[in-house]
Amino acid sequence: MNALPAFLRGLRPTLHISHRGGASLAPENTMEAFRQAVERFHTDMLELDVHVTRDGEVIVAHDDTLERCTDGFGPLAGQTLSELKKLDAGYGFTPDEGRTFPFRGQGVRIPTLREVLRAFPALRLNVELKPDVPGHEEVFARLLEDEGAVERVCMGSEQDAVGERLVARLPHACHFYPRDALAALVIALRGGEPPPEDPRFTVLDMPLYFGEVRLVDADFLRDCAARGKWVNVWTVDDPDEMRRLLEEGVGGIMTDRPDLLRQRMDDLTKPG
């Protein structure tokens, strides 16, 4: 078994992980969401997504296009950082299905990954690199190295080609499984078959359900732990599922509702 990545050393289940900073409570992937998750809900980790701009800057955003979250239009990759910084990143957020938009015009901007790393210098991040563009892993890796942040980022991609290039560039970092490699591992473990050995990836960032099938339970977590793997489950916003996962000892819970997860975690630690 390979040595545990520095990212995972000292961690104990269950981690409070704010998905995109807590996308149900504030504009996703923005400093406003990240600060709220850290300062109000004492999150253990931020989950976020990054892209590379036309002028080679690493910015925090999920979508390839701008329409859903901002007042901009078109492909994100076609914009420079200065162009993206002019957009209202709070424009699309609504807590009540479109009745109100409380963050519009409030100065919310798309952050760079460098800004996030510097704002929370002691915090671990789970970062997905998007999309599949050869060379972007080099830009991303150089930034982490420049900021001395390689050991506090667990990185990867849904796409296997991107995940493999990240491993090749940063072999000693913490990497989560990409889609096909993850599916092969989960199917084998759920079916009682010997799973494929792949020491490149240590963390399973995975859905709780596939259709009606609950993929994660105590037996699955034990099987993963026996192989030196850590399991984070996304995106869990139901309090009953949170409670069950906490009781089962899942590695981390990724949620858009960091307020509810904090409440459930606090409930379990109260005396009596």
Side-chain angles (χ1 to χ4, degrees), residues 5-83:
F7 178 90
L8 290 173
R9 291 175 196 156
L11 292 185
R12 298 288 182 270
T14 294
L15 300 179
H16 182 293
I17 307 175
S18 296
H19 181 253
R20 306 182 196 173
S24 292
L25 303 183
E28 66 179 57
N29 281 323
T30 65
M31 295 302 293
E32 284 71 13
F34 298 149
R35 287 196 187 97
Q36 178 174 251
V38 171
E39 295 169 6
R40 288 190 59 189
F41 306 121
H42 311 294
T43 200
D44 298 306
M45 190 182 304
L46 295 172
E47 187 277 341
L48 52 89
D49 315 275
V50 297
H51 292 252
V52 177
T53 66
R54 182 160 58 86
D55 53 344
E57 298 287 342
V58 183
I59 59 99
V60 182
H62 178 272
D63 294 3
D64 294 340
T65 55
L66 297 165
E67 287 84 352
R68 183 174 65 87
C69 293
T70 79
D71 57 346
F73 299 91
L76 184 153
Q79 306 287 318
T80 65
L81 177 61
S82 63
E83 290 169 336

Side-chain angles (χ1 to χ4, degrees), residues 129 137 140 155-157 162-171 175:
L129 177 62
E137 72 281 352
F140 176 70
M155 65 197 70
S157 170
V162 180
E164 290 165 3
R165 291 198 299 269
L166 281 170
V167 170
R169 178 58 179 80
L170 293 167
H175 297 271

